[in-house]
Amino acid sequence: MSINHTSSKVVPAGSDFTPVRQPLRSPRPSVASSSERAYLRIEEAIVTMEIQPGSDVNEAFLSEVAGFGRTPVREAVRKLCFEHLLVVKPKRGIYVTEIDPVAQLRLLEVRREIDRLVFQNAARRATPEQRRQFVLLGENFRRSAEAADKMLFIRCDKEFNELCLNCARNEFLTGSLRSIQGLSRRFWFCHYKTYDYLSVTALLHAGVAEAIADGKVNLVTEATERLVDSAEALARKVADQEGVLADHETMQSDLSAH
């Protein structure tokens, strides 16, 4: 995928893509709630590739996508830059980052450790109400697998991540996971269909959610390993297909030798 460097032209996810304005829940939402809702809408559009990797965008276009004005959109852009989904370049505008399987493999080295800590803490610290939410998420993950419903899965995945971070109650883990989760979700969405990963991934998420709901830390650890192993297997398949896996493994071998 190539980046369009023409700053005056926005390249969305195809010629038939039309930004959909989201209805406001109240006529005068607060700036904070508007910013969060703008962020969620734009993040989903990027993760599901309604807005393609490598696209040049601007605030006006993102405002149309989100259905909000420029102030909440600017806050959303700031968050999405932190999550490595957008990059702002002075005098060149905003563009959506590319999808890179080798970068995804490096990301998974970090994600394996962060996921383990976040999910273990969630299992230990979740309130009874939060545990009920994990039970419902487990059910919805299983429903998304049975129905092959990619959008149900991707939205449950976002809710699951946020709930885990709320339960974990560790601001350092929160920042670390939020900086990589969007890239992981987009990579999966880009490639799940080719490798038939929807049911597999949804059921693995269900296993983690259910273990957290039960507060069984040892089962959470095992379920997390299976989940990240599956994500790594997908990234390796993509890297191999694109002919970059051997270079990645050679680099890793050179680093370990030193």
Side-chain angles (χ1 to χ4, degrees), residues 23 26 37 47 75-76 88 90 92 129-130 140-141 144 149 158-159 194 196-197 204 213 222 226 235 239 249:
S26 65
R37 289 156 64 196
V47 165
E75 179 62 19
V88 177
R92 291 178 56 187
E129 175 56 32
Q130 288 170 330
N140 282 330
F141 279 132
S144 72
D149 189 334
K158 180 69 172 176
E159 184 179 348
T194 301
D196 194 22
Y197 258 63
L204 287 170
E222 294 169 6
R226 290 192 292 270
E249 291 181 335

Side-chain angles (χ1 to χ4, degrees), residues 35-233:
S35 297
E36 180 63 16
R37 289 156 64 196
Y39 158 76
L40 289 171
R41 173 61 188 128
I42 297 169
E43 194 261 4
E44 183 176 286
I46 294 172
V47 165
T48 60
M49 295 186 300
E50 290 179 38
I51 306 174
Q52 291 183 345
S55 296
D56 291 326
V57 295
N58 56 39
E59 287 183 358
F61 173 74
L62 294 176
S63 291
E64 283 295 309
V65 172
F68 289 96
R70 294 196 178 187
T71 298
V73 164
R74 283 173 186 158
E75 179 62 19
V77 168
R78 185 190 66 78
K79 292 176 70 173
L80 291 163
C81 286
F82 174 74
E83 295 177 7
H84 308 289
L85 291 171
L86 292 178
V87 173
V88 177
K89 292 201 170 183
K91 299 182 181 179
R92 291 178 56 187
I94 308 167
Y95 77 88
V96 183
T97 57
E98 297 279 9
I99 295 176
D100 181 349
V102 172
Q104 183 69 15
L105 286 166
R106 294 196 303 270
L107 179 153
L108 284 164
E109 293 178 7
V110 177
R111 183 182 148 191
R112 185 179 295 276
E113 301 303 319
I114 294 173
D115 277 5
R116 177 175 53 80
L117 289 170
V118 170
F119 299 163
Q120 286 176 344
N121 282 354
R124 293 187 183 103
R125 300 171 181 173
T127 66
E129 175 56 32
Q130 288 170 330
R131 294 189 193 282
R132 284 191 286 272
Q133 292 177 52
F134 279 116
V135 170
L136 291 174
L137 279 168
E139 293 172 356
N140 282 330
F141 279 132
R142 293 188 183 280
R143 189 173 296 114
S144 72
E146 292 168 4
D149 189 334
K150 63 183 184 294
M151 292 308 301
L152 175 59
F153 169 76
I154 208 72
R155 287 167 179 162
C156 285
D157 185 37
K158 180 69 172 176
E159 184 179 348
F160 170 76
N161 288 333
E162 291 300 314
L163 181 58
C164 286
L165 291 174
N166 289 337
C167 295
R169 296 199 290 273
N170 184 317
E171 68 273 26
F172 301 105
L173 285 175
T174 296
S176 298
L177 184 57
R178 283 194 174 136
S179 72
I180 62 176
Q181 64 178 233
L183 290 176
S184 288
R185 294 168 67 243
R186 183 179 64 165
F187 186 89
W188 177 87
F189 196 93
C190 180
H191 297 292
Y192 82 90
K193 192 171 183 179
T194 301
Y195 297 97
D196 194 22
Y197 258 63
L198 175 52
S199 179
V200 170
T201 308
L203 292 175
L204 287 170
H205 275 77
V208 178
E210 290 158 0
I212 293 173
D214 290 339
K216 297 178 179 177
V217 175
N218 59 326
L219 295 182
V220 169
T221 303
E222 294 169 6
T224 302
E225 285 298 311
R226 290 192 292 270
L227 176 61
V228 182
D229 283 347
S230 176
E232 182 177 340

